[in-house]
Amino acid sequence: MGVMLLKRKLTSFQIIIIGFSGVIIFGTFLLMLPFSSRSGLATPFSDALFTSTSAVCVTGLIIHDTATYWSAFGQLVILLLIQIGGMGVITIAASFAMISGRKISLMQRSTMQEAISAPKVGGIVRLTGFIVRVTLVMELLCAAVMAPVFCRDFGKKGLWMALFHSVSAFCNAGFDLLGGRFGAFSSLAGYNDNPLMLGTTAALIVVGGLGFFVWEDIVDKRCWSRLSVYSKMVLLITAVLIVGGALFFLMEEFDNPATLGDMPLWQKGLNALFQSVTLRTAGFDSIGQGGLSDTSKAMSCVLMLIGGSSGSTAGGIKTATVGVLLLALRSGLMGREQVTFRGRAIHYRRVLNAMTLALVVLFVFVFSSMVVSTVEDLPYLDSAFEVASAMGTVGLTTGTTPT
């Protein structure tokens, strides 16, 4: 009876928080086990907690290189935590319930809606099934594309590495297993001249970051004019951010020997594009972030804080929020009282929510950056980069996180 009363008192948000916290704690204890590390020694609680949290929140910031520190079992635990975090604890639980044939209650449907930020409860079970199918198809398909390259370089182990990197990229996690070949914390730097690897990884990041609402809309409508206002806004802003970011990094880092300077033109363009994509909460690294110019680091913070889209595996304040803010700015400059997009009015409550979220994120970002800079005695811009990376669940670092 006490358990039933407790269950009734829990709200959807509380269930989601408890679910994520439970997975993080369980993952922490698994990673603390001696056979989770290559050394056979127990990992300290703080290190295991940091890694588990980073995996479940698909952030990608690490203090131990995934390939060289963790054993095969530890890497499997991290992969499962990434998959659970990327799809969502509630989505995973609901999927098992659907497979077993159990009926999904109204309370459970409401929790599923809140977990993936769905606009309505209606059709939530169908949407959950769509999320699972898209996730598995994309991850397996792209793993098959990357497998020949990994098998060429790592033998049979390449199959496991292809699957790990495909899941990590789709979930926008940024964990990699390349430290054993290219050096600890090297990420994809060893493949910065491989269009197949960077292109496939970038595609996974974009697909995972667009959001399942957008992909469901695209599959159902199959025509630009029939897409919802939300889908059009997300697609437009995503395209502008990717192309604009790529052009910015190409021009800013063109002659920087620490990043793009020594590369041929086609490789500069490829890595500038990948840099623009990965900053949108993925966290893979094809060029050293510590070598970026101060201007590029500042732009990186902006892109990391924006992040991906609602209902996706990405973090950040979301592209739609930025879109609403820009539309509100346009209306203010033009003296209009109504905020509109393509002839349709946006409710003032959404505008207010977007402004509130942006101001809260900006305040936390600035304050946290100052705290990290002061406590760790680091340059402010490097501290801001690390904070933006954590807040946007990106996982990129200028090299200070492991210390």
Side-chain angles (χ1 to χ4, degrees), residues 64-106:
H64 297 296
D65 183 76
T66 309
T68 58
Y69 181 85
W70 301 105
S71 66
F73 176 78
Q75 293 171 8
L76 176 61
V77 171
I78 291 173
L79 180 65
L80 293 176
L81 294 177
I82 291 172
Q83 188 72 87
I84 293 173
M87 293 180 63
V89 176
I90 304 301
T91 300
I92 295 291
S95 299
F96 281 111
M98 292 163 59
I99 293 174
S100 65
R102 290 173 52 191
K103 186 176 180 180
I104 308 297
S105 67
L106 182 60

Side-chain angles (χ1 to χ4, degrees), residues 220-276:
D220 289 343
K221 306 295 176 56
R222 300 182 182 181
C223 177
W224 173 263
S225 61
R226 296 173 58 195
L227 293 179
S228 66
V229 173
Y230 172 79
S231 296
K232 291 179 180 178
M233 181 183 294
V234 167
L235 291 170
L236 283 172
I237 294 175
T238 299
V240 169
L241 289 174
I242 291 176
V243 175
L247 292 174
F248 173 87
F249 288 114
L250 180 61
M251 292 185 293
E252 178 65 25
E253 300 294 323
F254 194 88
D255 295 321
N256 185 351
T259 53
L260 305 180
D262 297 330
M263 299 179 180
L265 182 59
W266 70 267
Q267 193 175 349
K268 289 181 180 181
L270 174 64
N271 283 270
L273 177 62
F274 187 80
Q275 175 74 3
S276 180

Side-chain angles (χ1 to χ4, degrees), residues 365-388:
F365 166 67
V366 173
F367 178 76
S368 300
S369 300
M370 291 190 294
V371 171
V372 172
S373 179
T374 302
V375 173
E376 298 295 335
D377 193 25
L378 294 170
Y380 178 78
L381 197 53
D382 286 345
S383 300
F385 190 100
E386 303 296 313
V387 170

Side-chain angles (χ1 to χ4, degrees), residues 66-228:
T66 309
T68 58
Y69 181 85
W70 301 105
S71 66
F73 176 78
Q75 293 171 8
L76 176 61
V77 171
I78 291 173
L79 180 65
L80 293 176
L81 294 177
I82 291 172
Q83 188 72 87
I84 293 173
M87 293 180 63
V89 176
I90 304 301
T91 300
I92 295 291
S95 299
F96 281 111
M98 292 163 59
I99 293 174
S100 65
R102 290 173 52 191
K103 186 176 180 180
I104 308 297
S105 67
L106 182 60
M107 176 61 185
Q108 291 171 328
R109 291 169 189 259
S110 177
T111 303
M112 291 162 62
Q113 177 200 6
E114 299 290 354
I116 60 176
S117 302
K120 57 183 179 179
V121 176
I124 193 66
V125 175
R126 182 175 64 86
L127 178 59
T128 300
F130 177 80
I131 291 173
V132 174
R133 290 194 300 273
V134 169
T135 300
L136 294 179
V137 168
M138 284 300 302
E139 290 176 350
L140 292 175
L141 178 63
C142 291
V145 172
M146 291 188 287
V149 177
F150 279 124
C151 289
R152 179 198 67 192
D153 296 338
F154 298 93
K156 294 181 180 179
K157 185 182 177 182
L159 294 175
W160 161 246
M161 297 187 68
L163 178 62
F164 187 99
H165 286 83
S166 182
V167 173
S168 182
F170 183 81
C171 292
N172 281 215
F175 284 81
D176 70 88
L177 299 178
L178 299 171
R181 179 181 178 88
F182 301 111
F185 308 106
S186 59
S187 192
L188 291 176
Y191 289 111
N192 63 17
D193 59 347
N194 190 316
L196 176 64
M197 290 297 294
L198 294 191
T200 304
T201 303
L204 281 164
I205 295 168
V206 172
V207 172
L210 278 177
F212 298 106
F213 308 140
V214 175
W215 282 111
E216 185 186 39
D217 200 22
I218 292 174
V219 171
D220 289 343
K221 306 295 176 56
R222 300 182 182 181
C223 177
W224 173 263
S225 61
R226 296 173 58 195
L227 293 179
S228 66

Side-chain angles (χ1 to χ4, degrees), residues 7 30-31 43 46 60 63 111 113 124 196 224 243 268 293-295 344 348 360 364 385:
K7 186 177 181 180
L30 288 179
L31 292 177
T43 300
S46 59
I63 49 182
T111 303
Q113 177 200 6
I124 193 66
L196 176 64
W224 173 263
V243 175
K268 289 181 180 181
S293 67
D294 287 348
T295 305
R344 296 189 181 184
Y348 80 95
V360 170
V364 175
F385 190 100

